Amino acid sequence: MQTTNITNARHIGQLTSANDDRQDRQKSHIPLEHFPQDVFVKSQYTQKIEGLGNDIKGGLNDMTSFQALANRLQREDILNSHDMIAVKFLSMHSPTSKLEDFDRVLRNENLSVEMRSLIATLINKLHTINYLHSGLLVSA
């Protein structure tokens, strides 16, 4: 019987798998303050766009508004001289200043690769500006 007691005594201090999991969680619990925190930093480009405010409202209502918007965006260094080439082209070849019509002009197969690239870049910028301002460009 003594041997049985010694054998049982050996098992008394053993951990079950449930105890193992609990102790592992307790050992691995680290307060959140000790973890690195993610930080979102807006690019200067995004900050410039957000800084435009309500001044761009209705910038795509007609071609005159579109050209005024483009000039403002160029002054703010959001559009560059290549974008302004696309602005001039769209002003002459798009039936309206709506983004959908700009997209139709872009799909024209007779455009050179270079012009298609300029227009695509401009359209992407306009979509970004419109998105960041919750549709303000197309508001009346």
Side-chain angles (χ1 to χ4, degrees):
M1 277 203 197
Q2 235 175 349
T3 351
T4 308
N5 286 341
I6 293 172
T7 307
N8 287 341
R10 251 189 312 196
H11 294 292
I12 291 174
Q14 284 187 336
L15 296 173
T16 64
S17 63
N19 287 339
D20 269 346
D21 291 343
R22 194 173 330 117
Q23 282 192 348
D24 284 345
R25 280 194 304 265
Q26 288 172 348
K27 287 178 189 174
S28 65
H29 176 72
I30 300 171
L32 290 176
E33 306 86 59
H34 298 292
F35 285 106
Q37 299 297 312
D38 289 335
V39 177
F40 175 74
V41 179
K42 295 178 184 178
S43 69
Q44 287 182 349
Y45 178 76
T46 302
Q47 291 175 21
K48 284 179 185 180
I49 291 172
E50 288 178 339
L52 294 171
N54 289 336
D55 296 343
I56 61 169
K57 184 175 183 175
L60 294 178
N61 285 347
D62 55 42
M63 282 302 176
T64 305
S65 303
F66 170 57
Q67 290 168 347
L69 169 70
N71 290 329
R72 166 81 192 279
L73 295 175
Q74 185 181 32
R75 283 192 307 274
E76 299 291 333
D77 289 326
I78 295 169
L79 297 185
N80 59 35
S81 59
H82 295 284
D83 298 323
M84 295 306 288
I85 293 170
V87 167
K88 185 175 181 179
F89 185 88
L90 287 173
S91 296
M92 293 185 319
H93 294 92
S94 180
T96 70
S97 60
K98 294 181 180 178
L99 291 172
E100 298 83 23
D101 286 333
F102 292 168
D103 288 333
R104 281 189 205 102
V105 171
L106 180 62
R107 289 191 299 265
N108 181 346
E109 294 177 11
N110 295 327
L111 291 177
S112 68
V113 174
E114 294 84 7
M115 184 55 73
R116 190 179 308 249
S117 176
L118 293 176
I119 294 171
T121 300
L122 174 65
I123 290 172
N124 285 335
K125 288 181 180 183
L126 292 173
H127 277 290
T128 300
I129 293 166
N130 197 46
Y131 174 78
L132 290 174
H133 283 279
S134 304
L136 199 59
L137 285 181
V138 294
S139 306

